[in-house]
Amino acid sequence: MSLKNTLEIDIIKASASKIDSIDFENLAFGNVFTDHMLICDFKEGAWQKPIIKPYEPFLIDPSAKVFHYGQAIFEGMKAYKDVNEDVWLFRPDENFHRFNKSAVRMAMPEVPETIFIDGLKTILDLERNWVKTGLGNTLYIRPFMIAIGSGVIAQPSTQYRFMIILSPAKSYYSGEVKVIIAEHYSRAANGGIGAAKAAGNYSAQFYPTKLANEKGFQQIIWTDDATHTKLEEAGTMNVFFRINDTLYTAPTSERILDGVTRKSLIDIAKREGMDVQIRSVLVEEIVNAAKDGSLKEIFGAGTAAVVSPISAFSFQDIEYVLPKMEDSFALQLKEKLTNIQYKLAEDTFGWTVKI
């Protein structure tokens, strides 16, 4: 994928930047946004000219399809700044292709590479001062698309809006994370939209997650919809299990999102000589491994959190506490991945792209 900018984009710059008013040391994830946003509309069967303009609310018809039939997809990406003040993206081609897979599944138009990639490059170049140096400092990137066509008839929209907004960020989760293994609720089903990064997938998680929160747990490990015997994802993340010195994770499917962080960690683990098994992971084997002491780690993996170690899990109202590992696989893999992202280690995979 080329990052050479061949796209004409209208740019309206903000009259003044709010960057000096932001406390970058105390950021709540996803609450602060940069000065500008990118907008590109699809209408009359064609994509229009993109525009970058000051970040602001916009008007939309109350009958817009996004409100009534949920045509909305998004991606999560990050930009990093190295010690030389250069800004880097991490595997943007993966996010671009996954975005369009989501679009196809939701009966939405695919976004051309020039709009997605060139638009992303242009707005990042404009907002590069918002990317701060130092491990843990990132600029979270949220490309998304919504149906803006009006009318409440139950059919796909004919008009859509693609946007990119940017949010300076630090770590997504902090402290220990405890999870409940789902016994009733499911994140997705075969034939559904679980493999798409569709907005509705996340809103459907809110209620069962609220129930878990009320019991003192931060997230849920989702199980398959048919039998609730297979472990699939942890909250909004892919999930890994370490039994003795073998790392297990479920294969992607119609129910499981093809996570960019997930596949990157798998490649790094294999490079480092770790035994990685990609197969269905059963609730029963994880519970038994917790009982006999062979379960060493569980951790989530995703763009926002990168790697999030899990300290305990609950199943059938019994809580299992995991051992504290000083040199855990989770922390080893996180360090190796973030060192690549921040250009502190050689990128032997060719994953990083300079802006």
Side-chain angles (χ1 to χ4, degrees):
M1 172 178 289
S2 171
L3 277 190
K4 183 178 180 181
N5 194 335
T6 60
L7 180 69
E8 287 188 15
I9 303 177
D10 287 334
I11 300 177
I12 303 172
K13 291 188 177 181
S15 58
S17 176
K18 58 179 179 283
I19 192 169
D20 290 337
S21 68
I22 305 302
D23 182 0
F24 284 88
E25 296 304 314
N26 295 285
L27 291 169
F29 185 87
N31 284 353
V32 173
F33 296 92
T34 65
D35 296 316
H36 300 90
M37 61 186 185
L38 179 142
I39 298 178
C40 187
D41 285 351
F42 179 92
K43 61 183 179 180
E44 298 176 354
W47 286 100
Q48 308 300 299
K49 189 176 183 180
I51 182 171
I52 292 175
K53 60 186 296 187
Y55 184 96
E56 62 184 3
F58 58 85
L59 293 174
I60 190 170
D61 195 289
S63 70
K65 300 282 188 181
V66 64
F67 297 138
H68 303 275
Y69 302 111
Q71 277 187 291
I73 61 172
F74 68 94
E75 273 297 321
M77 310 168 65
K78 284 181 178 178
Y80 310 83
K81 184 172 279 186
D82 65 20
V83 293
N84 298 316
E85 300 286 322
D86 290 323
V87 176
W88 298 83
L89 284 170
F90 182 74
R91 308 189 76 173
D93 55 326
E94 293 286 346
N95 295 100
F96 166 68
H97 292 303
R98 189 173 65 181
F99 189 86
N100 278 337
K101 287 181 181 179
S102 298
V104 169
R105 181 61 183 86
M106 298 299 290
M108 305 170 84
E110 295 182 63
V111 177
E113 181 178 322
T114 51
I115 293 175
F116 191 104
I117 294 297
D118 289 354
L120 179 56
K121 175 187 176 183
T122 303
I123 193 170
L124 281 176
D125 190 39
L126 184 65
E127 305 284 54
R128 61 173 54 243
N129 289 339
W130 288 82
V131 193
K132 300 301 182 181
T133 56
L135 278 172
N137 294 323
T138 62
L139 187 64
Y140 183 77
I141 304 164
R142 174 56 63 90
F144 65 99
M145 179 163 51
I146 58 173
I148 61 172
S150 60
V152 294
I153 185 171
Q155 64 185 28
S157 177
T158 58
Q159 296 184 43
Y160 297 88
R161 177 161 293 170
F162 170 70
M163 297 186 64
I164 299 175
I165 56 177
L166 309 171
S167 177
K170 284 186 173 290
S171 177
Y172 187 66
Y173 295 110
S174 60
E176 294 187 340
V177 175
K178 299 198 302 180
V179 300
I180 290 179
I181 292 178
E183 299 177 57
H184 173 71
Y185 294 103
S186 297
R187 177 187 175 274
N190 282 332
I193 59 172
K197 208 160 172 62
N201 287 341
Y202 296 81
S203 58
Q205 297 181 33
F206 292 161
Y207 176 67
T209 303
K210 175 178 177 288
L211 298 180
N213 294 162
E214 291 171 352
K215 294 182 178 180
F217 296 85
Q218 286 72 46
Q219 284 292 352
I220 297 172
I221 295 185
W222 304 102
T223 51
D224 68 290
D225 63 297
T227 67
H228 292 292
T229 60
K230 299 175 182 178
L231 297 159
E232 301 204 317
E233 292 195 351
T236 59
M237 301 175 287
N238 295 118
V239 63
F240 289 81
F241 306 88
R242 176 186 171 187
I243 299 177
N244 292 319
D245 285 331
T246 299
L247 202 57
Y248 298 89
T249 192
T252 56
S253 68
E254 291 181 310
R255 303 184 306 273
I256 298 176
L257 191 70
D258 186 12
V260 178
T261 303
R262 169 192 175 275
K263 64 178 65 177
S264 302
L265 292 178
I266 290 171
D267 287 346
I268 291 172
K270 289 180 177 178
R271 185 192 68 182
E272 297 301 312
M274 295 180 181
D275 183 12
V276 182
Q277 300 292 323
I278 302 172
R279 64 162 176 82
S280 294
V281 182
L282 302 179
V283 176
E284 181 181 28
E285 68 178 308
I286 293 303
V287 170
N288 288 338
K291 289 179 179 178
D292 67 25
S294 59
L295 179 64
K296 305 301 182 184
E297 298 178 64
I298 304 175
F299 58 91
T303 299
V306 186
V307 171
S308 183
I310 291 168
S311 63
F313 72 90
S314 173
F315 179 66
Q316 295 181 342
D317 294 325
I318 299 175
E319 185 172 323
Y320 301 87
V321 178
L322 276 70
K324 293 186 181 298
M325 307 287 293
E326 289 186 6
D327 193 25
S328 67
F329 281 10
L331 295 181
Q332 289 181 52
L333 292 172
K334 180 177 181 179
E335 181 180 15
K336 293 181 185 303
L337 176 58
T338 54
N339 281 348
I340 292 172
Q341 292 169 331
Y342 287 91
K343 307 303 289 184
L344 297 173
E346 183 183 0
D347 176 13
T348 59
F349 299 99
W351 287 338
T352 52
V353 178
K354 187 177 179 180
I355 296 299

